[in-house]
Amino acid sequence: MLQQGWCIGLTGGIGSGKSTAGRFFAECGGTVIEADAISHQLTAAGGAAIAAIRKQLGDSFVLPDGSLDRQRTREHIFQTPHAKQTLEHILHPLIRHAMLENASAAQEQGQRLIVMDIPLLAESPQWKPLLDCICVVDCDESTQIKRVMQRNGLTSDQVQQIMHNQASRSERLACADMVLRNDTQDLMNLRQQVTSVCQQLGL
Protein backbone atom coordinates (compact mmCIF):
# COMPACT_ATOMS: atom_id res chain seq x y z
CA MET A 1 0.00 0.00 0.00
CA LEU A 2 1.13 3.53 -0.73
CA GLN A 3 0.98 6.35 1.79
CA GLN A 4 -0.06 8.71 -0.99
CA GLY A 5 -1.58 7.09 -4.05
CA TRP A 6 -2.67 3.61 -5.03
CA CYS A 7 -1.15 0.16 -5.35
CA ILE A 8 -3.40 -1.98 -7.55
CA GLY A 9 -3.19 -5.72 -8.08
CA LEU A 10 -3.94 -6.59 -11.71
CA THR A 11 -4.80 -10.14 -12.70
CA GLY A 12 -6.70 -12.21 -15.23
CA GLY A 13 -6.62 -15.64 -16.83
CA ILE A 14 -4.53 -16.48 -19.87
CA GLY A 15 -5.93 -14.73 -22.94
CA SER A 16 -8.00 -12.30 -20.89
CA GLY A 17 -6.11 -9.20 -22.02
CA LYS A 18 -4.40 -8.53 -18.70
CA SER A 19 -1.12 -7.45 -20.29
CA THR A 20 -2.96 -5.08 -22.62
CA ALA A 21 -4.77 -3.56 -19.64
CA GLY A 22 -1.40 -3.14 -17.95
CA ARG A 23 -0.14 -1.24 -20.97
CA PHE A 24 -3.14 1.08 -20.75
CA PHE A 25 -2.46 1.71 -17.05
CA ALA A 26 1.09 2.66 -18.03
CA GLU A 27 -0.31 5.05 -20.64
CA CYS A 28 -2.28 6.68 -17.80
CA GLY A 29 0.99 7.33 -16.00
CA GLY A 30 1.17 4.28 -13.75
CA THR A 31 4.24 2.19 -13.00
CA VAL A 32 3.47 -1.40 -13.99
CA ILE A 33 5.52 -4.11 -12.28
CA GLU A 34 5.14 -7.49 -13.99
CA ALA A 35 5.59 -10.74 -12.07
CA ASP A 36 6.25 -12.65 -15.30
CA ALA A 37 9.05 -10.29 -16.35
CA ILE A 38 10.72 -10.68 -12.96
CA SER A 39 10.29 -14.46 -13.15
CA HIS A 40 12.11 -14.46 -16.49
CA GLN A 41 14.96 -12.42 -14.99
CA LEU A 42 15.25 -14.84 -12.06
CA THR A 43 15.42 -17.87 -14.38
CA ALA A 44 17.70 -16.38 -17.04
CA ALA A 45 21.37 -17.32 -17.17
CA GLY A 46 22.88 -16.27 -13.86
CA GLY A 47 19.44 -15.57 -12.41
CA ALA A 48 18.95 -15.72 -8.65
CA ALA A 49 16.67 -18.76 -8.85
CA ILE A 50 18.88 -21.01 -11.00
CA ALA A 51 20.98 -22.53 -8.20
CA ALA A 52 17.88 -23.55 -6.21
CA ILE A 53 16.19 -24.93 -9.34
CA ARG A 54 19.26 -26.99 -10.16
CA LYS A 55 19.37 -28.31 -6.59
CA GLN A 56 15.64 -29.06 -6.25
CA LEU A 57 14.73 -30.22 -9.77
CA GLY A 58 18.07 -31.35 -11.18
CA ASP A 59 20.66 -30.33 -13.76
CA SER A 60 18.47 -31.50 -16.64
CA PHE A 61 16.15 -28.51 -16.11
CA VAL A 62 18.98 -26.01 -16.72
CA LEU A 63 20.20 -25.37 -20.26
CA PRO A 64 23.94 -25.30 -21.11
CA ASP A 65 23.85 -21.49 -21.10
CA GLY A 66 22.75 -21.55 -17.45
CA SER A 67 19.11 -20.56 -17.99
CA LEU A 68 15.96 -22.51 -17.13
CA ASP A 69 14.84 -25.00 -19.76
CA ARG A 70 11.32 -23.57 -19.97
CA GLN A 71 9.86 -26.14 -22.33
CA ARG A 72 11.08 -29.13 -20.32
CA THR A 73 9.96 -27.51 -17.08
CA ARG A 74 6.52 -26.66 -18.49
CA GLU A 75 5.98 -30.25 -19.66
CA HIS A 76 7.21 -31.64 -16.35
CA ILE A 77 4.99 -29.55 -14.09
CA PHE A 78 1.89 -30.43 -16.12
CA GLN A 79 2.66 -34.11 -15.54
CA THR A 80 3.99 -33.83 -11.97
CA PRO A 81 1.98 -31.59 -9.60
CA HIS A 82 4.60 -31.61 -6.84
CA ALA A 83 7.19 -30.24 -9.29
CA LYS A 84 4.94 -27.23 -9.86
CA GLN A 85 4.77 -26.66 -6.11
CA THR A 86 8.55 -26.99 -5.82
CA LEU A 87 9.12 -24.40 -8.54
CA GLU A 88 6.58 -22.02 -7.00
CA HIS A 89 8.21 -22.33 -3.57
CA ILE A 90 11.49 -21.27 -5.15
CA LEU A 91 10.20 -18.48 -7.36
CA HIS A 92 7.29 -16.86 -5.53
CA PRO A 93 9.22 -15.43 -2.54
CA LEU A 94 11.90 -14.07 -4.89
CA ILE A 95 9.31 -12.54 -7.22
CA ARG A 96 7.40 -11.00 -4.31
CA HIS A 97 10.56 -9.49 -2.84
CA ALA A 98 11.63 -7.99 -6.17
CA MET A 99 8.18 -6.57 -6.89
CA LEU A 100 7.97 -4.90 -3.48
CA GLU A 101 11.46 -3.44 -3.91
CA ASN A 102 10.46 -2.01 -7.30
CA ALA A 103 7.24 -0.61 -5.83
CA SER A 104 9.16 1.03 -2.99
CA ALA A 105 11.57 2.62 -5.47
CA ALA A 106 8.67 3.94 -7.57
CA GLN A 107 7.00 5.37 -4.48
CA GLU A 108 10.21 7.15 -3.46
CA GLN A 109 10.23 8.77 -6.90
CA GLY A 110 6.74 10.15 -6.24
CA GLN A 111 4.69 7.65 -8.24
CA ARG A 112 1.02 7.74 -7.21
CA LEU A 113 -0.15 4.68 -9.16
CA ILE A 114 1.65 1.36 -8.98
CA VAL A 115 0.13 -1.62 -10.77
CA MET A 116 1.26 -5.08 -9.70
CA ASP A 117 0.64 -7.40 -12.67
CA ILE A 118 0.30 -10.80 -10.96
CA PRO A 119 -1.13 -13.70 -13.02
CA LEU A 120 -1.53 -15.91 -9.92
CA LEU A 121 -2.96 -13.22 -7.66
CA ALA A 122 -6.17 -15.12 -6.92
CA GLU A 123 -4.07 -18.13 -5.86
CA SER A 124 -1.80 -16.00 -3.63
CA PRO A 125 -3.74 -14.60 -0.64
CA GLN A 126 -0.56 -13.15 0.89
CA TRP A 127 -0.72 -10.33 -1.67
CA LYS A 128 -4.11 -8.94 -0.64
CA PRO A 129 -2.97 -7.09 2.54
CA LEU A 130 -0.30 -5.34 0.47
CA LEU A 131 -2.70 -3.97 -2.15
CA ASP A 132 -5.25 -1.17 -2.05
CA CYS A 133 -7.54 -2.98 -4.48
CA ILE A 134 -7.62 -5.86 -6.96
CA CYS A 135 -8.55 -5.34 -10.60
CA VAL A 136 -9.53 -8.42 -12.63
CA VAL A 137 -9.57 -8.46 -16.43
CA ASP A 138 -12.39 -10.85 -17.34
CA CYS A 139 -13.83 -12.50 -20.43
CA ASP A 140 -15.73 -15.65 -21.32
CA GLU A 141 -13.66 -18.84 -21.16
CA SER A 142 -14.48 -19.59 -24.80
CA THR A 143 -12.93 -16.24 -25.72
CA GLN A 144 -9.80 -17.05 -23.71
CA ILE A 145 -9.40 -20.36 -25.54
CA LYS A 146 -9.88 -18.81 -28.96
CA ARG A 147 -7.40 -16.00 -28.31
CA VAL A 148 -4.65 -18.27 -26.98
CA MET A 149 -5.11 -20.76 -29.82
CA GLN A 150 -4.68 -17.93 -32.33
CA ARG A 151 -1.82 -16.25 -30.47
CA ASN A 152 0.26 -19.26 -29.41
CA GLY A 153 -0.73 -21.90 -31.97
CA LEU A 154 -1.96 -24.28 -29.27
CA THR A 155 -4.83 -26.73 -29.47
CA SER A 156 -8.03 -26.22 -27.50
CA ASP A 157 -7.06 -29.08 -25.18
CA GLN A 158 -3.65 -27.53 -24.48
CA VAL A 159 -5.19 -24.17 -23.64
CA GLN A 160 -7.77 -25.79 -21.36
CA GLN A 161 -4.98 -27.66 -19.59
CA ILE A 162 -3.24 -24.35 -18.89
CA MET A 163 -6.50 -22.84 -17.66
CA HIS A 164 -7.06 -25.86 -15.42
CA ASN A 165 -3.78 -25.04 -13.66
CA GLN A 166 -4.91 -21.46 -12.98
CA ALA A 167 -7.58 -20.17 -10.63
CA SER A 168 -11.06 -20.50 -12.05
CA ARG A 169 -12.90 -17.53 -13.48
CA SER A 170 -15.24 -17.51 -10.48
CA GLU A 171 -12.31 -17.56 -8.04
CA ARG A 172 -10.74 -14.55 -9.73
CA LEU A 173 -14.01 -12.63 -9.76
CA ALA A 174 -14.56 -13.44 -6.08
CA CYS A 175 -11.38 -11.56 -5.12
CA ALA A 176 -12.04 -8.58 -7.43
CA ASP A 177 -12.69 -5.07 -6.20
CA MET A 178 -13.20 -3.97 -9.80
CA VAL A 179 -13.67 -5.86 -13.07
CA LEU A 180 -12.60 -4.87 -16.57
CA ARG A 181 -14.70 -6.69 -19.18
CA ASN A 182 -12.77 -7.64 -22.31
CA ASP A 183 -14.93 -9.96 -24.41
CA THR A 184 -14.56 -8.12 -27.71
CA GLN A 185 -11.69 -7.19 -30.00
CA ASP A 186 -12.42 -3.53 -29.30
CA LEU A 187 -9.31 -2.46 -27.41
CA MET A 188 -10.62 1.10 -27.23
CA ASN A 189 -13.34 -0.17 -24.91
CA LEU A 190 -10.75 -1.73 -22.59
CA ARG A 191 -8.68 1.45 -22.70
CA GLN A 192 -11.73 3.50 -21.73
CA GLN A 193 -12.41 1.19 -18.78
CA VAL A 194 -8.83 1.58 -17.55
CA THR A 195 -9.04 5.36 -17.93
CA SER A 196 -12.29 5.33 -15.95
CA VAL A 197 -10.62 3.38 -13.14
CA CYS A 198 -7.79 5.90 -12.97
CA GLN A 199 -10.31 8.75 -12.85
CA GLN A 200 -12.21 7.02 -10.04
CA LEU A 201 -8.96 6.78 -8.11
CA GLY A 202 -8.44 10.52 -8.54
CA LEU A 203 -5.44 10.14 -10.84
Short mmCIF file of all heavy atoms in Angstrom, two decimals, residues 47-81:
data_model
loop_
_atom_site.label_atom_id
_atom_site.label_comp_id
_atom_site.label_asym_id
_atom_site.label_seq_id
_atom_site.Cartn_x
_atom_site.Cartn_y
_atom_site.Cartn_z
N GLY A 47 20.54 -16.06 -13.22
CA GLY A 47 19.44 -15.57 -12.41
C GLY A 47 19.49 -16.11 -10.99
O GLY A 47 20.04 -17.18 -10.72
N ALA A 48 18.87 -15.38 -10.07
CA ALA A 48 18.95 -15.72 -8.65
C ALA A 48 18.27 -17.03 -8.29
O ALA A 48 18.54 -17.59 -7.22
CB ALA A 48 18.34 -14.58 -7.83
N ALA A 49 17.39 -17.52 -9.17
CA ALA A 49 16.67 -18.76 -8.85
C ALA A 49 17.33 -20.01 -9.41
O ALA A 49 16.94 -21.13 -9.06
CB ALA A 49 15.24 -18.67 -9.40
N ILE A 50 18.33 -19.86 -10.28
CA ILE A 50 18.88 -21.01 -11.00
C ILE A 50 19.52 -22.04 -10.07
O ILE A 50 19.33 -23.25 -10.22
CB ILE A 50 19.88 -20.56 -12.08
CG1 ILE A 50 19.15 -19.79 -13.18
CG2 ILE A 50 20.63 -21.74 -12.68
CD1 ILE A 50 18.09 -20.60 -13.92
N ALA A 51 20.29 -21.59 -9.09
CA ALA A 51 20.98 -22.53 -8.20
C ALA A 51 19.97 -23.40 -7.46
O ALA A 51 20.15 -24.62 -7.35
CB ALA A 51 21.87 -21.77 -7.22
N ALA A 52 18.90 -22.78 -6.94
CA ALA A 52 17.88 -23.55 -6.21
C ALA A 52 17.14 -24.50 -7.15
O ALA A 52 16.79 -25.62 -6.75
CB ALA A 52 16.91 -22.60 -5.53
N ILE A 53 16.87 -24.06 -8.37
CA ILE A 53 16.19 -24.93 -9.34
C ILE A 53 17.06 -26.14 -9.67
O ILE A 53 16.59 -27.28 -9.72
CB ILE A 53 15.85 -24.13 -10.62
CG1 ILE A 53 14.74 -23.13 -10.33
CG2 ILE A 53 15.45 -25.07 -11.76
CD1 ILE A 53 14.47 -22.15 -11.44
N ARG A 54 18.34 -25.89 -9.87
CA ARG A 54 19.26 -26.99 -10.16
C ARG A 54 19.31 -27.99 -9.00
O ARG A 54 19.30 -29.21 -9.20
CB ARG A 54 20.66 -26.43 -10.43
CG ARG A 54 21.63 -27.43 -11.03
CD ARG A 54 23.05 -26.85 -11.09
NE ARG A 54 23.14 -25.70 -11.98
CZ ARG A 54 23.35 -25.80 -13.29
NH1 ARG A 54 23.45 -26.99 -13.86
NH2 ARG A 54 23.47 -24.71 -14.01
N LYS A 55 19.30 -27.45 -7.78
CA LYS A 55 19.37 -28.31 -6.59
C LYS A 55 18.08 -29.09 -6.38
O LYS A 55 18.11 -30.29 -6.07
CB LYS A 55 19.67 -27.47 -5.36
CG LYS A 55 19.78 -28.27 -4.07
CD LYS A 55 20.13 -27.36 -2.90
CE LYS A 55 20.22 -28.16 -1.60
NZ LYS A 55 20.55 -27.27 -0.44
N GLN A 56 16.92 -28.44 -6.56
CA GLN A 56 15.64 -29.06 -6.25
C GLN A 56 15.10 -29.94 -7.39
O GLN A 56 14.50 -30.98 -7.13
CB GLN A 56 14.60 -27.97 -5.93
CG GLN A 56 14.91 -27.17 -4.68
CD GLN A 56 14.78 -27.99 -3.41
OE1 GLN A 56 13.93 -28.87 -3.31
NE2 GLN A 56 15.63 -27.72 -2.43
N LEU A 57 15.30 -29.49 -8.63
CA LEU A 57 14.73 -30.22 -9.77
C LEU A 57 15.76 -31.04 -10.54
O LEU A 57 15.41 -32.03 -11.18
CB LEU A 57 14.03 -29.25 -10.73
CG LEU A 57 12.82 -28.52 -10.17
CD1 LEU A 57 12.22 -27.57 -11.21
CD2 LEU A 57 11.75 -29.50 -9.69
N GLY A 58 17.02 -30.61 -10.50
CA GLY A 58 18.07 -31.35 -11.18
C GLY A 58 18.70 -30.58 -12.33
O GLY A 58 18.13 -29.64 -12.86
N ASP A 59 19.90 -31.01 -12.70
CA ASP A 59 20.66 -30.33 -13.76
C ASP A 59 19.94 -30.35 -15.09
O ASP A 59 20.16 -29.47 -15.93
CB ASP A 59 22.03 -31.00 -13.93
CG ASP A 59 22.96 -30.74 -12.74
OD1 ASP A 59 22.73 -29.74 -12.02
OD2 ASP A 59 23.90 -31.52 -12.55
N SER A 60 19.11 -31.36 -15.33
CA SER A 60 18.47 -31.50 -16.64
C SER A 60 17.47 -30.38 -16.92
O SER A 60 17.02 -30.23 -18.07
CB SER A 60 17.76 -32.86 -16.74
OG SER A 60 16.72 -32.98 -15.79
N PHE A 61 17.10 -29.61 -15.91
CA PHE A 61 16.15 -28.51 -16.11
C PHE A 61 16.86 -27.18 -16.37
O PHE A 61 16.19 -26.15 -16.51
CB PHE A 61 15.22 -28.39 -14.90
CG PHE A 61 14.25 -29.54 -14.81
CD1 PHE A 61 14.58 -30.69 -14.12
CD2 PHE A 61 13.02 -29.47 -15.45
CE1 PHE A 61 13.70 -31.76 -14.06
CE2 PHE A 61 12.12 -30.53 -15.39
CZ PHE A 61 12.47 -31.68 -14.70
N VAL A 62 18.20 -27.22 -16.43
CA VAL A 62 18.98 -26.01 -16.72
C VAL A 62 19.73 -26.22 -18.02
O VAL A 62 20.43 -27.21 -18.20
CB VAL A 62 19.97 -25.71 -15.57
CG1 VAL A 62 20.78 -24.46 -15.88
CG2 VAL A 62 19.22 -25.55 -14.25
N LEU A 63 19.56 -25.29 -18.95
CA LEU A 63 20.20 -25.37 -20.26
C LEU A 63 21.71 -25.13 -20.14
O LEU A 63 22.18 -24.58 -19.14
CB LEU A 63 19.59 -24.34 -21.21
CG LEU A 63 18.12 -24.59 -21.60
CD1 LEU A 63 17.56 -23.37 -22.34
CD2 LEU A 63 17.99 -25.83 -22.46
N PRO A 64 22.49 -25.51 -21.16
CA PRO A 64 23.94 -25.30 -21.11
C PRO A 64 24.34 -23.85 -20.88
O PRO A 64 25.41 -23.58 -20.31
CB PRO A 64 24.40 -25.79 -22.49
CG PRO A 64 23.39 -26.82 -22.87
CD PRO A 64 22.08 -26.31 -22.33
N ASP A 65 23.50 -22.90 -21.31
CA ASP A 65 23.85 -21.49 -21.10
C ASP A 65 23.56 -21.01 -19.68
O ASP A 65 23.81 -19.84 -19.34
CB ASP A 65 23.15 -20.59 -22.12
CG ASP A 65 21.63 -20.51 -21.91
OD1 ASP A 65 21.11 -21.19 -21.00
OD2 ASP A 65 20.97 -19.75 -22.65
N GLY A 66 23.00 -21.90 -18.85
CA GLY A 66 22.75 -21.55 -17.45
C GLY A 66 21.36 -21.01 -17.18
O GLY A 66 21.07 -20.59 -16.05
N SER A 67 20.48 -21.03 -18.18
CA SER A 67 19.11 -20.56 -17.99
C SER A 67 18.16 -21.74 -17.82
O SER A 67 18.51 -22.89 -18.13
CB SER A 67 18.65 -19.71 -19.19
OG SER A 67 18.61 -20.50 -20.37
N LEU A 68 16.97 -21.46 -17.32
CA LEU A 68 15.96 -22.51 -17.13
C LEU A 68 15.51 -23.06 -18.48
O LEU A 68 15.26 -22.30 -19.42
CB LEU A 68 14.75 -21.92 -16.39
CG LEU A 68 13.56 -22.86 -16.17
CD1 LEU A 68 13.92 -23.95 -15.17
CD2 LEU A 68 12.35 -22.07 -15.66
N ASP A 69 15.42 -24.37 -18.57
CA ASP A 69 14.84 -25.00 -19.76
C ASP A 69 13.32 -24.91 -19.61
O ASP A 69 12.69 -25.74 -18.97
CB ASP A 69 15.29 -26.47 -19.84
CG ASP A 69 14.85 -27.15 -21.14
OD1 ASP A 69 13.83 -26.70 -21.73
OD2 ASP A 69 15.49 -28.12 -21.55
N ARG A 70 12.74 -23.87 -20.19
CA ARG A 70 11.32 -23.57 -19.97
C ARG A 70 10.41 -24.66 -20.54
O ARG A 70 9.41 -25.03 -19.92
CB ARG A 70 10.98 -22.20 -20.55
CG ARG A 70 11.80 -21.09 -19.94
CD ARG A 70 11.40 -19.72 -20.44
NE ARG A 70 12.40 -18.74 -20.08
CZ ARG A 70 12.57 -18.26 -18.85
NH1 ARG A 70 11.79 -18.65 -17.88
NH2 ARG A 70 13.52 -17.37 -18.59
N GLN A 71 10.73 -25.14 -21.72
CA GLN A 71 9.86 -26.14 -22.33
C GLN A 71 9.85 -27.43 -21.52
O GLN A 71 8.78 -27.99 -21.24
CB GLN A 71 10.30 -26.44 -23.77
CG GLN A 71 9.40 -27.45 -24.47
CD GLN A 71 9.76 -27.64 -25.93
OE1 GLN A 71 10.54 -26.88 -26.49
NE2 GLN A 71 9.19 -28.66 -26.55
N ARG A 72 11.02 -27.90 -21.13
CA ARG A 72 11.08 -29.13 -20.32
C ARG A 72 10.37 -28.93 -18.98
O ARG A 72 9.64 -29.81 -18.53
CB ARG A 72 12.55 -29.52 -20.09
CG ARG A 72 12.71 -30.73 -19.17
CD ARG A 72 14.17 -31.14 -19.06
NE ARG A 72 14.35 -32.16 -18.05
CZ ARG A 72 14.08 -33.44 -18.22
NH1 ARG A 72 13.60 -33.87 -19.38
NH2 ARG A 72 14.29 -34.32 -17.25
N THR A 73 10.58 -27.78 -18.37
CA THR A 73 9.96 -27.51 -17.08
C THR A 73 8.44 -27.45 -17.22
O THR A 73 7.70 -27.99 -16.39
CB THR A 73 10.49 -26.19 -16.50
OG1 THR A 73 11.91 -26.26 -16.37
CG2 THR A 73 9.88 -25.91 -15.14
N ARG A 74 7.96 -26.79 -18.27
CA ARG A 74 6.52 -26.66 -18.49
C ARG A 74 5.88 -28.05 -18.65
O ARG A 74 4.84 -28.35 -18.06
CB ARG A 74 6.26 -25.81 -19.73
CG ARG A 74 4.82 -25.41 -19.94
CD ARG A 74 4.65 -24.56 -21.18
NE ARG A 74 5.46 -23.34 -21.14
CZ ARG A 74 6.49 -23.09 -21.93
NH1 ARG A 74 6.87 -23.96 -22.84
NH2 ARG A 74 7.15 -21.96 -21.81
N GLU A 75 6.51 -28.90 -19.45
CA GLU A 75 5.98 -30.25 -19.66
C GLU A 75 6.01 -31.05 -18.36
O GLU A 75 5.06 -31.80 -18.06
CB GLU A 75 6.82 -30.96 -20.74
CG GLU A 75 6.67 -30.35 -22.12
CD GLU A 75 7.67 -30.91 -23.12
OE1 GLU A 75 8.56 -31.69 -22.69
OE2 GLU A 75 7.56 -30.58 -24.32
N HIS A 76 7.06 -30.87 -17.58
CA HIS A 76 7.21 -31.64 -16.35
C HIS A 76 6.17 -31.25 -15.30
O HIS A 76 5.58 -32.13 -14.65
CB HIS A 76 8.62 -31.44 -15.79
CG HIS A 76 8.93 -32.28 -14.58
ND1 HIS A 76 8.88 -33.66 -14.60
CD2 HIS A 76 9.29 -31.92 -13.31
CE1 HIS A 76 9.20 -34.12 -13.41
NE2 HIS A 76 9.45 -33.09 -12.61
N ILE A 77 5.92 -29.96 -15.15
CA ILE A 77 4.99 -29.55 -14.09
C ILE A 77 3.55 -29.89 -14.45
O ILE A 77 2.72 -30.07 -13.56
CB ILE A 77 5.13 -28.05 -13.76
CG1 ILE A 77 4.79 -27.16 -14.95
CG2 ILE A 77 6.51 -27.74 -13.24
CD1 ILE A 77 4.86 -25.67 -14.65
N PHE A 78 3.23 -29.99 -15.75
CA PHE A 78 1.89 -30.43 -16.12
C PHE A 78 1.69 -31.89 -15.74
O PHE A 78 0.59 -32.32 -15.38
CB PHE A 78 1.67 -30.26 -17.63
CG PHE A 78 1.28 -28.85 -18.02
CD1 PHE A 78 1.70 -28.33 -19.24
CD2 PHE A 78 0.52 -28.05 -17.19
CE1 PHE A 78 1.36 -27.03 -19.60
CE2 PHE A 78 0.17 -26.76 -17.55
CZ PHE A 78 0.59 -26.25 -18.76
N GLN A 79 2.75 -32.67 -15.81
CA GLN A 79 2.66 -34.11 -15.54
C GLN A 79 2.90 -34.44 -14.06
O GLN A 79 2.44 -35.48 -13.58
CB GLN A 79 3.69 -34.87 -16.39
CG GLN A 79 3.47 -34.71 -17.89
CD GLN A 79 4.65 -35.20 -18.70
OE1 GLN A 79 5.65 -35.66 -18.15
NE2 GLN A 79 4.56 -35.11 -20.02
N THR A 80 3.59 -33.54 -13.35
CA THR A 80 3.99 -33.83 -11.97
C THR A 80 3.61 -32.66 -11.07
O THR A 80 4.37 -31.68 -10.95
CB THR A 80 5.52 -34.07 -11.90
OG1 THR A 80 5.91 -34.94 -12.95
CG2 THR A 80 5.91 -34.66 -10.56
N PRO A 81 2.46 -32.73 -10.42
CA PRO A 81 1.98 -31.59 -9.60
C PRO A 81 2.97 -31.13 -8.55
O PRO A 81 3.09 -29.92 -8.31
CB PRO A 81 0.71 -32.15 -8.96
CG PRO A 81 0.24 -33.20 -9.92
CD PRO A 81 1.48 -33.83 -10.47
#
